């Protein structure tokens, strides 16, 4: 009979068979996401989040000095009954929630503040002169503690283990690198991280697949000449024109030597040299940063920066010492979102915030040491909106006027927890 064509049988079979794994995972995700967001938004929970964030905000600590912050994290984990390892990389804390069995999924927050004066006048302004949480890491710690509380509440439902990584020294000090060196990622299969973004509304997140943030390297240069009277330049080796020409020559590397379709930046951030109007100095110094999105570009830029500067110096009978400071200040790799992890976090984000709540924005040339984790395991990093309608002129990260809408704390806590729980659900044996 025509009716029982093979196609029809196949369709009937598909209708009668139970929903496949993907559909079940989706259902689980959206019910779970709603439940987590509701828990994290109730007034007691969000009040606790605010108080944690404000306590951290009042006592900002610089990279690898986060002792008080670390203490606060441990005491909150203690009261939640969550186990942790400490110290990891001096002040870092790695907590564990769940069965202890595989799969292991990691969530990460950074803890450090910046050496700058807070100019926002409010009740919980920084009490430490010259230090401020202007990159929102106080909110990151709080959101991860919020996730810890949600996960602990749901620990019987966890199909594996969640590691909560509280790391020091994100602001230029590669804290993530040292956390990994001390075992923070051991056994972990994938990782997720969040960064607050005061430019997009609370209740939205933003990211993209592939490169999201650039890698960053640094360099300082000493041009060695021979000083003397400014009226007799022929008796000197003037390092000042050498510095000028070297800086101009550097502008040609990105603009003339590299593919315009792959982003790269070289910027000079400081120049120093000379003291008197009539003296040619012995030495002058300058330095800057360079940005890239691949290991090849990193190697290329580094080699060319050195060559261009040394060659300019040699032409003018001076010498140059170019220092990439890699021992003390490790370069950051680019932050690359893994396609599968990106899709996972996006799907959970959409379940939590709706389709319009997950934005796809262009990459930016800022850098993040989350990239060290992303080099080791599949990773996704998302920006999370922290701007509400009353904040008409939001100030960017690292501004002395930086403020966030604390509503982000509940969203971030539940997103962290939902991404982790859904991952374990999908990957449980
Ligand atoms: C918006 O954020 C500001 C800054 O944190 C806060 O003072 C204000 O209460 C928030 N408004 C709403 C409606 O959430
Ligand atoms: Zn920062
Ligand atoms: Zn930051």
């Amino acid at each position: 009979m025509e009716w029982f064509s093979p196609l029809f049988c196949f369709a009937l079979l598909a209708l009668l068979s139970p929903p496949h794994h993907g559909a079940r995972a989706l259902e689980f995700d959206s019910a779970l996401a709603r439940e987590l967001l509701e828990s994290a938004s109730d007034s007691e929970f969000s009040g606790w989040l605010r108080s944690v964030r404000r306590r951290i905000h009042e006592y900002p600590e610089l990279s690898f000095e986060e002792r008080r912050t670390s203490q606060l994290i441990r005491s909150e984990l203690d009261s939640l009954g969550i186990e942790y390892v400490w110290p990891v990389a001096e002040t870092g804390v790695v907590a564990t929630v769940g069965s202890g069995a595989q799969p292991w999924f990691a969530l990460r927050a950074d803890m450090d503040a910046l050496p700058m004066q807070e100019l926002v006048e409010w009740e919980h302004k920084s009490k430490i002169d010259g230090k401020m949480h202007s990159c929102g890491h106080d909110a990151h710690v709080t959101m991860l503690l919020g996730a810890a509380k949600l996960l602990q509440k749901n620990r019987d439902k966890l199909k594996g283990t969640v590691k909560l990584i509280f790391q020091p020294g994100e602001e230029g000090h590669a804290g993530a690198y040292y956390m990994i060196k001390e075992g923070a990622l051991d056994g972990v299969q994938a990782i997720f991280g969040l960064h607050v973004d005061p430019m997009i509304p609370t209740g939205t997140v933003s990211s993209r697949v592939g490169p999201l943030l650039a890698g960053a390297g640094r360099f300082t240069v000493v041009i060695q000449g021979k000083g003397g009277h400014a009226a007799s330049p022929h008796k000197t080796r003037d390092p000042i024109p050498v510095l000028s020409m070297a800086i101009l020559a550097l502008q040609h590397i990105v603009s003339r030597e590299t593919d315009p379709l792959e982003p790269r930046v070289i910027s000079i951030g400081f120049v120093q040299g000379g003291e008197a109007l009539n003296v040619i100095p012995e030495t002058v110094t300058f330095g800057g940063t360079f940005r890239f999105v691949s290991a090849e570009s990193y190697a290329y830029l580094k080699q060319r920066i050195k060559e261009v500067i040394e060659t300019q110096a040699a032409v003018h009978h001076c010498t140059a010492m170019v220092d990439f400071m890699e021992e003390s200040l490790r370069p950051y790799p680019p932050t690359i979102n893994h396609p599968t992890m990106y899709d996972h976090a996006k799907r959970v984000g959409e379940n939590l915030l709706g389709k319009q709540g997950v934005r796809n924005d262009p990459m930016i040339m800022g850098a993040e040491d989350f990239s060290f984790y992303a080099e080791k395991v599949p990773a996704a990093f998302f920006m999370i909106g922290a701007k509400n309608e009353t904040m008409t002129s939001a100030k960017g990260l690292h501004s002395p006027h930086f403020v966030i809408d604390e509503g982000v704390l509940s969203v971030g806590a539940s997103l962290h927890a939902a991404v982790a729980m859904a991952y374990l659900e999908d990957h449980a044996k």
Side-chain angles (χ1 to χ4, degrees):
M1 265 170 52
E2 285 302 315
W3 269 102
F4 284 95
S5 71
L7 199 69
F8 178 74
C9 290
F10 185 74
L12 194 70
L13 233 133
L15 273 172
L16 295 176
S17 59
H20 59 86
H21 180 71
R24 247 188 307 129
L26 271 183
E27 252 168 59
F28 170 81
D29 277 12
S30 40
L32 170 77
R34 277 194 304 275
E35 194 186 306
L36 291 170
L37 184 56
E38 258 167 48
S39 303
S41 306
D42 81 28
S43 64
E44 194 188 322
F45 201 116
S46 61
W48 169 72
L49 289 172
R50 271 168 228 271
S51 92
V52 169
R53 187 252 164 172
R54 290 169 181 185
R55 275 185 280 147
I56 302 172
H57 191 87
E58 286 176 355
Y59 293 96
E61 297 170 303
L62 303 185
S63 299
F64 286 106
E65 295 173 1
E66 307 91 338
R67 277 175 276 281
R68 187 184 175 117
T69 310
S70 175
Q71 169 62 51
L72 181 148
I73 291 165
R74 283 176 278 126
S75 90
E76 291 296 338
L77 291 171
D78 284 337
S79 32
L80 293 169
I82 293 176
E83 285 177 19
Y84 53 83
V85 179
W86 168 82
V88 185
E90 300 193 30
T91 56
V93 180
V94 180
T96 311
V97 190
S99 66
Q102 285 284 349
W104 284 12
F105 186 79
L107 298 168
R108 170 272 202 172
D110 42 10
M111 312 189 288
D112 53 331
L114 284 151
M116 58 191 286
Q117 181 61 41
E118 175 161 12
L119 297 180
V120 186
E121 294 306 329
W122 69 305
E123 213 187 325
H124 301 283
K125 181 178 174 175
S126 167
K127 294 191 194 301
I128 312 290
D129 275 350
K131 295 181 190 174
M132 178 190 181
H133 268 292
S134 55
C135 204
H137 299 186
D138 51 346
H140 301 171
V141 169
T142 306
M143 295 187 299
L144 197 52
L145 282 170
K149 188 168 180 157
L150 292 169
L151 291 168
Q152 181 69 340
K153 206 173 124 191
N154 288 286
R155 64 184 174 281
D156 297 337
K157 292 189 207 148
L158 296 181
K159 303 267 170 66
T161 309
V162 185
K163 269 190 160 186
L164 308 162
I165 300 178
F166 298 89
Q167 71 151 79
E170 192 288 320
E171 295 289 355
H173 290 77
Y177 171 85
Y178 297 98
M179 292 297 285
I180 294 167
K181 211 170 154 191
E182 297 194 18
L185 268 193
D186 292 357
V188 167
Q189 288 172 13
I191 189 167
F192 177 69
L194 282 172
H195 202 297
V196 291
D197 185 341
M199 296 300 172
I200 62 173
T202 309
T204 61
V205 292
S206 157
S207 190
R208 70 194 296 276
V209 71
L212 173 70
L213 297 163
R218 284 162 279 220
F219 59 97
T220 57
V221 183
V222 180
I223 309 273
Q224 176 75 51
K226 184 163 154 274
H229 201 295
S232 308
H234 58 293
K235 294 181 179 162
T236 74
R237 300 281 188 227
D238 189 350
I240 287 184
V242 174
L243 170 143
S244 315
M245 288 178 148
I247 290 175
L248 288 178
L250 287 173
Q251 310 306 313
H252 289 235
I253 299 176
V254 171
S255 75
R256 302 292 83 189
E257 295 179 22
T258 68
D259 182 349
L261 296 182
E262 187 185 320
R264 297 173 182 82
V265 176
I266 300 176
S267 291
I268 306 304
F270 89 93
V271 170
Q272 231 166 25
E275 279 164 306
L277 297 178
N278 56 359
V279 177
I280 288 170
E282 284 280 315
T283 62
V284 292
T285 65
F286 70 99
T289 179
F290 59 109
R291 306 290 162 112
F292 46 87
V293 290
S294 69
E296 297 72 43
S297 300
Y298 164 67
Y300 183 81
L301 292 181
K302 197 178 150 189
Q303 180 204 336
R304 289 296 290 150
I305 287 167
K306 187 170 154 64
E307 275 172 12
V308 163
I309 296 168
E310 286 177 352
T311 312
Q312 286 296 324
V315 166
H316 304 282
H317 306 282
C318 290
T319 55
M321 279 214 347
V322 184
D323 181 1
F324 291 93
M325 301 175 290
E326 296 194 350
E327 287 312 306
S328 52
L329 293 166
R330 307 194 66 82
Y332 285 10
T335 301
I336 315 278
N337 278 327
H338 186 276
T340 317
M341 261 313 292
Y342 170 78
D343 284 346
H344 173 79
K346 178 172 184 261
R347 186 190 84 202
V348 176
E350 287 177 351
N351 282 325
L352 194 83
L353 306 167
K355 270 217 166 359
Q356 70 298 339
V358 181
R359 302 159 49 119
N360 190 274
D361 286 318
M363 72 166 294
I364 44 176
M365 296 305 277
E368 232 305 325
D369 77 355
F370 184 81
S371 54
F372 286 101
Y373 304 110
E375 278 192 326
K376 300 280 179 207
V377 294
F381 194 68
F382 274 61
M383 308 300 289
I384 182 165
K387 177 185 197 283
N388 67 29
E389 57 286 357
T390 68
M391 293 158 61
T392 44
S393 61
K395 296 293 187 301
L397 301 171
H398 293 207
S399 160
H401 299 285
F402 177 77
V403 289
I404 57 164
D405 170 16
E406 290 177 325
V408 68
L409 302 172
S410 304
V411 181
S414 46
L415 181 59
H416 264 314
V419 166
M421 287 182 74
Y423 183 91
L424 299 185
E425 188 73 21
D426 287 356
H427 293 80
K429 298 275 160 359

